[in-house]
Amino acid sequence: MGNLRSRITSWFTRRYFARVQKKGLDLSKIALLPDDVLMPLRRDGLDPVPELGRKRAEEPVSKLPVPFGLNVWLVTGYDEAKAVLGDAKTFSNDFTNLVGKTSARAEDNPGGLGFSDPPVHTRLRKLLTPEFTMRRLARLKPEIETIVNERLDVIAEADGPVDLVEEFALPIPSLVICELLGVPYSDRAEFQHLAVQRFDLFGGAAASLGAISESLEYLLTVVRKERENPGDGLLGMIIKEHGDEIEDRELAGLADGVLTGGFETTASMLSLGALVLLQDREMFKRIHDDDEPVHGFVEELLRYLAVVQVAFPRFAREDVEVGGVTIKQGDMAIVSLSGANRDEKLGQGLEIFDGTRPPMSHLAFGYGVHRCVGAELARMELRAAYPALVRRFPSMRLAVPVEDLEFRKTSAVYSVEKLPILVD
Ligand code: HEM
């Protein structure tokens, strides 16, 4: 089993990197969009660029200079972000808002939670939430530990530098989601391929939408197989308990949302969190020596890194005032989670990572009816992975100078491309 897994994961990641290298299309280099539009996605190492903090201080809701006549507001303040995300009556997530305003076509609608509004959203979310209770998730705990340990075994065998992104951060969440959904082993390579395409903003909106429909087609085949013979994973359970309330396409949309939501986000947290540990030796030692600090460490990491840099776009159904600004009916609001998590209103010194900080409110998992359904699963993965990593490799260190690391440039999910380490 271990061998099979390691073959699958190395195949997954080879394809991933082949894609990243082949695509080479960085929106920021095309210079079609004004720099200010991409600013909320840009970082300086782990930190958002200083402009984001300046914007928040001066104008927590500000107009983005988007061409082609679409009014887009950037929301960077914590209270203002909660006002938008917490008001699903006024702000719509519905996919059809994008049609006619972007390259999206009505038939591209991926369904699922992220692009739907109540009452459709409420009905779908009710199907999913029982699969994410602590009781149901508990069944994944030993699986997560096994997956983590198998990855550590692979790293331990390596001769010379190991890329932690390839060997640790990507395979862990991907295999955990396969377990969660009940995707058969034979389908996992295809699964991973689709996962990495989904948050690919480098290829532009059209490329991402193409990936959405490709991934839906694939997931439909998985759903149809489950319909014939439902297993114990999330898909099989929903089919067994609510099979007559949901159509195949809708269920595939739900699975797609779980895949989109749970893979690259957690992978980025694993990579960037490991980088934080490599640079903060005191924290490294605390996590190594003691179980207790890991909860606080993970919460502070979630806040500080805010790897999901912006929430799904929201569209105002009517004129509404947020942070002293009128957002007009039909306007788009982009909520900067990385901006909101560092708002001075929450406390001082939030530009800095402090793993000993008492846990505080943050928006890394969003807020309101669309708040991350997988938050507890993500926490389980992170709380299992970091201590296991530092305990197995106490002398772990970066194999290259930190300045040589290459970070993603304009992706909605921030991350580092590679993280070469030495473990001996
Ligand atoms: C550390 C890892 C993760 C982060 C930072 C994260 C972040 C987020 C955020 C910010 C949202 C809300 C987006 C919005 O309101 O526009 C969200 C929604 C969502 N997440 Fe996560 N997520 C993570 C892990 C996961 C996992 C492990 C899963 C499932 C396996 C998952 C599934 C989802 C789904 C299905 C939604 C849509 C919820 C809805 O619209 O009702 N996420 N996530």
Side-chain angles (χ1 to χ4, degrees):
M1 181 68 85
N3 249 341
L4 175 65
R5 279 190 186 200
S6 105
R7 278 211 311 280
I8 292 169
T9 46
S10 86
W11 189 88
F12 284 162
T13 37
R14 276 203 310 279
R15 278 192 74 166
Y16 171 75
F17 287 112
R19 252 194 70 71
V20 169
Q21 276 150 20
K22 197 169 70 190
K23 104 190 142 220
L25 230 195
D26 181 345
L27 269 188
S28 61
K29 295 205 180 88
I30 303 176
L32 251 179
L33 294 169
D35 210 48
D36 289 5
V37 176
L38 296 167
M39 183 274 285
L41 302 179
R42 288 194 199 288
R43 295 212 183 182
D44 185 1
L46 296 178
D47 297 303
V49 289
E51 285 99 297
L52 192 72
R54 279 203 291 274
K55 266 272 174 256
R56 185 182 54 233
E58 287 160 14
E59 262 184 299
V61 181
S62 65
K63 190 93 171 275
L64 276 178
V66 175
F68 322 121
L70 181 63
N71 279 338
V72 182
W73 297 92
L74 175 68
V75 182
T76 45
Y78 180 80
D79 292 338
E80 293 78 4
K82 277 175 81 173
V84 173
L85 299 178
D87 183 359
K89 273 208 184 92
T90 307
F91 289 98
S92 165
N93 276 43
D94 200 289
F95 186 82
T96 51
N97 289 302
L98 293 163
V99 178
K101 293 181 182 141
T102 66
S103 59
R105 298 165 308 162
E107 60 269 32
D108 294 326
N109 191 345
L113 294 172
F115 285 119
S116 64
D117 288 333
V120 173
H121 174 267
T122 321
R123 183 176 64 82
L124 293 176
R125 182 135 176 159
K126 266 198 192 134
L127 295 175
L128 213 50
T129 38
E131 301 306 317
F132 286 92
T133 58
M134 291 311 281
R135 194 181 57 79
R136 272 290 279 163
L137 290 178
R139 88 198 146 95
L140 293 174
K141 198 164 183 274
E143 281 302 334
I144 293 175
E145 279 162 15
T146 307
I147 289 168
V148 168
N149 284 326
E150 282 178 5
R151 299 319 305 166
L152 298 176
D153 292 343
V154 172
I155 295 173
E157 279 165 25
D159 204 5
V162 184
D163 179 10
L164 216 55
V165 175
E166 177 169 349
E167 299 297 358
F168 189 74
L170 288 169
I172 290 174
S174 148
L175 290 168
V176 169
I177 294 170
C178 287
E179 293 289 344
L180 173 80
L181 291 179
V183 173
Y185 272 89
S186 53
D187 281 354
R188 293 187 178 188
E190 185 61 19
F191 188 82
Q192 168 104 351
H193 164 65
L194 294 165
V196 295
Q197 289 189 319
R198 292 288 270 100
F199 261 116
D200 188 1
L201 287 196
F202 291 88
S208 288
L209 289 170
I212 292 176
S213 43
E214 197 188 326
S215 120
L216 273 178
E217 283 314 309
Y218 162 73
L219 286 165
L220 257 178
T221 61
V222 177
V223 165
R224 286 183 188 132
K225 273 190 226 163
E226 286 283 319
R227 187 74 81 174
E228 279 161 27
N229 186 15
D232 285 338
L234 180 149
L235 292 174
M237 292 303 279
I238 293 182
I239 288 170
K240 277 188 248 179
E241 285 163 20
H242 304 278
D244 45 355
E245 293 165 39
I246 185 159
E247 290 175 2
D248 287 358
R249 205 177 161 74
E250 234 175 3
L251 190 49
L254 266 192
D256 185 63
V258 169
L259 154 68
T260 314
F263 168 56
E264 205 165 3
T265 48
T266 316
S268 301
M269 280 300 298
L270 287 171
S271 310
L272 298 178
L275 176 57
V276 168
L277 280 170
L278 285 163
Q279 292 179 293
D280 184 344
R281 293 318 282 200
E282 210 172 299
M283 198 68 229
F284 190 105
K285 191 171 176 318
R286 286 168 61 106
I287 301 288
H288 178 274
D289 293 350
D290 195 353
D291 276 329
E292 202 251 321
V294 77
H295 281 58
F297 168 73
V298 165
E299 279 320 290
E300 170 67 354
L301 260 189
L302 286 160
R303 178 200 73 78
Y304 171 76
L305 293 173
V307 293
V308 176
Q309 312 207 75
V310 291
F312 278 90
R314 266 43 175 197
F315 288 84
R317 293 176 205 270
E318 56 196 58
D319 292 5
V320 55
E321 202 186 301
V322 182
V325 164
T326 303
I327 298 181
K328 288 215 165 342
Q329 181 186 16
D331 287 1
M332 187 198 279
I334 299 286
V335 176
S336 161
L337 303 175
S338 50
N341 276 1
R342 293 169 180 230
D343 194 330
E344 296 76 7
K345 280 186 217 138
L346 290 172
Q348 291 301 307
L350 298 185
E351 295 294 343
I352 288 165
F353 172 81
D354 175 1
T356 62
R357 207 190 288 281
M360 50 177 285
S361 300
H362 64 72
L363 299 181
F365 289 121
Y367 181 75
V369 298
H370 290 278
R371 185 180 178 276
C372 181
V373 75
E376 282 315 311
L377 177 59
R379 287 183 168 122
M380 271 169 72
E381 293 179 58
L382 302 177
R383 288 171 189 163
Y386 300 125
L389 178 69
V390 302
R391 284 174 197 159
R392 179 74 81 93
F393 305 119
S395 64
M396 169 178 125
R397 61 209 178 275
L398 271 178
V400 295
V402 67
E403 305 77 49
D404 290 357
L405 295 176
E406 208 184 308
F407 295 91
R408 294 194 138 194
K409 301 214 166 42
T410 45
S411 179
V413 181
Y414 191 65
S415 198
V416 64
E417 302 289 5
K418 288 179 188 212
L419 194 59
I421 55 156
L422 291 164
V423 295
D424 56 2

